[in-house]
Amino acid sequence: MMRSKPDEDDYWNSSKCRAFTFDDDYDELSSLKESKRAVNSIRQFVVDEDEDEDDMVKVSWSGEPIGSITWSIKETASSTKQEQSFPKIDSGPSLPRQGSGYSLSSLFKAFSEPSTRNFAPELRKPKSEYKDYVSDWSPEETVKRMQRGKFCSLETFRSLKDKMQLLDQAVCANDGNVITAVCTHVFLQKYFLQCKLEVLSRELMSRDVALRHYIHYLKEMGEQKLLVELFKSLGRTEDMALLQYREHLSIKDEVRRKEYLKSCISLPFPPDDAGHVQDHYTLLERQIIIEANDKHLENKGQVEVFKKHPRKASILNMPIITTLYYSCLQFPFKLSLTLPSTISEKQYLLTALSARAKLKEWLDVGSLFTTKNWLGYTKKRSPIGFHRVVDILHKNNAPAQVLQEYVCLVEDPNLKISLAQKYKCHDIVIDMYKDQKDRQQLIVYQGKVERGSPEDKKIQDILNNTQIRWKN
């Protein structure tokens, strides 16, 4: 029925929930208290008076009550990393919701009771996935799966026969990664304790490809002790000795390294390698003595050679050529030096020449190339070629007289003239053109020397000599 205007105003003003008003006499605090009382009165219609606070239903952001089957399934699915994504099931159009006289708490109260609580079913992987872990694959199937990057357990191959069949399949597949993986499984440390190493080595000897892959793997991983035992069981004593010799590189203390090298001399090396190991030990032994002595003299500051040429680095563990150069530079030169087997005569001459030329010791340079024949006559010879000697002397600012002496010893005429012109050994060029009776070249060269110089007068005297039969 229709209310009159005054009645309608009385109705709305009598409501506990007042609307917003701009009236000045509106009391916000009293309005807030009335709103709170209204909310509490509404709650009485939804929640029973005897219901505990624990029975209150908590709803997730998606609207499902927490603890329900729907919520449990979604939570389980979101926290589990699925390897396969399941397609969504189209459930069709949703039905319109009907009004219900039951509250949310009474509807889901049954699911929250301990006696009737239901759990979400576990989402299991497909049976085909479990087959990858529990099935006994054949060696061929196992290798194929390893090539595809699939997981497969190798623990099922327990006996030596099974392990060797698996290794043969890996070799046939020609896949280095698979071969290495199978070898590392077959030759585990714990398996070495159960089976004699000789048995495994015998099996590897007939499988050269697998053996090479496994040795390379052990070298990369730094399994020195295992490699030594493997080489020993294979009868490869030289490889075993070389591997043990390389261990000296990891020893930092020079005295301990020297003692270790001394113990390596008795290893079963071939004759040539045994000589190198002996030389290495002797070299380090001398380096230790030289280093201690020169360090003491340098600190005193009384040795002239250390003042002119200070030591830039320690001599310890340096190559033999560096040690030889240092010795020729720092010590009184002795030509009668016993050369080790690892250095040749050419290497010695080049090294000693560079050191003595740097010190401007030209007499020592001359003694390097002076030899005596069986009649007692002296002669200069150079196994490195005198043209290289001239280059080294020029780099060390040798005097013109010294350069000219060694340019004259060059045997090839064209090379001799080229070097004489390059280093301005005018007398050599003039004498060679005179011997060749080449008047034209002599005239051309006269234009290259200073006019009025002794060389210019010498050329003019030769040109005026009527007894020479010139060829041009």
Side-chain angles (χ1 to χ4, degrees):
M1 69 182 172
M2 300 297 293
R3 294 189 180 92
S4 62
K5 182 66 175 175
D7 295 338
E8 186 176 354
D9 292 338
D10 293 339
Y11 172 79
W12 288 110
N13 290 332
S14 64
S15 175
K16 293 182 179 181
C17 299
R18 296 182 60 185
F20 180 79
T21 178
F22 288 94
D23 296 341
D24 295 334
D25 57 349
Y26 180 72
D27 187 2
E28 294 182 358
L29 181 60
S30 61
S31 177
L32 180 61
K33 292 180 179 180
E34 291 178 0
S35 299
K36 184 175 181 181
R37 286 195 295 269
V39 172
N40 291 334
S41 63
I42 294 174
R43 181 182 177 186
Q44 295 176 359
F45 293 98
V46 180
V47 183
D48 297 338
E49 292 181 357
D50 57 347
E51 186 176 359
D52 296 334
E53 187 175 353
D54 294 337
D55 294 331
M56 293 297 295
V57 177
K58 297 180 181 180
V59 182
S60 65
W61 290 105
S62 60
E64 290 85 7
I66 297 177
S68 64
I69 294 179
T70 307
W71 175 83
S72 299
I73 293 177
K74 289 187 177 181
E75 286 296 307
T76 305
S78 61
S79 62
T80 305
K81 293 182 179 179
Q82 299 290 336
E83 293 185 3
Q84 298 180 353
S85 59
F86 294 93
K88 295 182 178 180
I89 301 176
D90 188 6
S91 60
S94 59
L95 297 176
R97 293 187 176 180
Q98 301 291 334
S100 175
Y102 298 97
S103 64
L104 292 175
S105 60
S106 61
L107 180 61
F108 293 103
K109 186 176 181 180
F111 298 111
S112 62
E113 294 292 337
S115 59
T116 59
R117 183 172 298 176
N118 296 326
F119 295 92
E122 181 182 0
L123 298 180
R124 297 181 178 274
K125 295 182 179 181
K127 292 183 178 180
S128 59
E129 292 292 329
Y130 281 97
K131 188 179 180 181
D132 294 347
Y133 298 93
V134 300
S135 296
D136 293 334
W137 298 94
S138 66
E140 184 178 2
E141 292 171 331
T142 301
V143 170
K144 289 182 179 179
R145 289 181 59 80
M146 294 176 68
Q147 288 182 299
R148 294 196 299 267
K150 294 279 189 177
F151 172 83
C152 51
S153 176
L154 303 182
E155 297 297 330
T156 57
F157 301 93
R158 299 180 181 277
S159 66
L160 179 63
K161 179 181 179 181
D162 293 339
K163 291 177 181 292
M164 292 302 105
Q165 288 179 352
L166 179 62
L167 184 58
D168 290 337
Q169 287 295 330
V171 173
C172 292
N174 198 25
D175 191 319
N177 293 330
V178 176
I179 295 174
T180 303
V182 174
C183 283
T184 55
H185 168 70
V186 172
F187 296 95
L188 289 175
Q189 293 283 358
K190 61 181 181 180
Y191 195 71
F192 279 143
L193 300 177
Q194 300 172 0
C195 183
K196 290 185 178 180
L197 185 59
E198 290 78 7
V199 177
L200 297 177
S201 302
R202 185 174 63 250
E203 297 292 340
L204 268 182
M205 289 179 66
S206 60
R207 297 168 175 85
D208 185 63
V209 175
L211 178 61
R212 285 188 282 109
H213 277 81
Y214 187 54
I215 290 176
H216 178 74
Y217 168 78
L218 293 179
K219 289 181 178 179
E220 292 292 325
M221 299 303 295
E223 296 286 349
Q224 301 295 335
K225 293 182 179 179
L226 188 56
L227 265 175
V228 169
E229 293 297 326
L230 180 61
F231 284 142
K232 185 178 180 180
S233 63
L234 291 171
R236 296 170 57 169
T237 56
E238 295 179 5
D239 292 332
M240 180 193 69
L242 181 60
L243 190 66
Q244 288 183 274
Y245 168 71
R246 291 185 61 184
E247 280 293 308
H248 81 273
L249 297 174
S250 61
I251 303 176
K252 302 301 181 183
D253 183 72
E254 286 76 16
V255 177
R256 290 182 58 245
R257 179 180 291 190
K258 182 193 71 172
E259 295 301 323
Y260 184 82
L261 289 174
K262 185 177 181 180
S263 65
C264 291
I265 297 175
S266 59
L267 293 176
F269 285 105
D272 292 341
D273 293 342
H276 294 327
V277 175
Q278 177 67 55
D279 290 339
H280 189 180
Y281 166 73
T282 305
L283 175 64
L284 183 57
E285 187 180 34
R286 293 182 180 180
Q287 286 176 342
I288 293 175
I289 298 174
I290 293 172
E291 178 66 20
N293 183 63
D294 288 5
K295 191 175 182 179
H296 176 70
L297 295 176
E298 187 179 25
N299 292 334
K300 283 187 173 181
Q302 299 177 358
V303 181
E304 190 66 24
V305 69
F306 289 127
K307 295 179 180 179
K308 293 182 179 180
H309 306 282
R311 301 193 321 144
K312 296 181 180 180
S314 171
I315 197 65
L316 294 174
N317 299 314
M318 289 295 178
I320 188 170
I321 294 296
T322 306
T323 306
L324 176 61
Y325 180 84
Y326 178 86
S327 300
C328 294
L329 193 66
Q330 304 291 352
F331 297 103
F333 182 69
K334 294 181 181 180
L335 186 60
S336 57
L337 179 66
T338 302
L339 298 180
S341 59
T342 54
I343 188 170
S344 64
E345 183 183 4
K346 292 183 178 181
Q347 289 176 320
Y348 168 72
L349 286 175
L350 283 172
T351 305
L353 172 63
S354 300
R356 302 317 288 178
K358 185 176 182 178
L359 296 175
K360 315 299 181 187
E361 298 290 345
W362 310 121
L363 293 178
D364 291 343
V365 171
S367 64
L368 286 171
F369 309 103
T370 302
T371 60
K372 290 184 179 181
N373 58 14
W374 61 280
L375 294 176
Y377 294 103
T378 60
K379 181 182 179 181
K380 290 187 181 302
R381 58 176 290 273
S382 172
I384 61 176
F386 281 106
H387 63 283
R388 298 185 66 182
V389 176
V390 172
D391 291 337
I392 294 174
L393 294 176
H394 180 262
K395 289 179 181 178
N396 288 277
N397 301 317
Q401 184 179 358
V402 176
L403 282 177
Q404 184 169 323
E405 177 185 358
Y406 288 96
V407 170
C408 289
L409 297 175
V410 178
E411 296 181 358
D412 185 83
N414 295 328
L415 182 58
K416 182 187 294 187
I417 291 178
S418 177
L419 290 174
Q421 291 178 348
K422 179 180 179 180
Y423 299 124
K424 296 181 180 181
C425 299
H426 301 301
D427 289 339
I428 296 177
V429 179
I430 295 171
D431 291 340
M432 288 195 67
Y433 285 148
K434 176 186 175 182
D435 295 339
Q436 294 175 358
K437 297 180 175 54
D438 195 336
R439 181 183 178 88
Q440 297 299 325
Q441 288 293 339
L442 195 59
I443 294 174
V444 172
Y445 193 73
Q446 187 179 19
K448 296 180 180 180
V449 300
E450 186 179 355
R451 186 170 296 278
S453 62
E455 292 81 9
D456 181 58
K457 293 180 180 181
K458 183 177 180 179
I459 293 175
Q460 191 61 42
D461 291 341
I462 294 175
L463 293 175
N464 295 333
N465 189 347
T466 58
Q467 295 181 356
I468 301 176
R469 291 188 175 185
W470 302 101
K471 68 177 182 179
N472 52 25

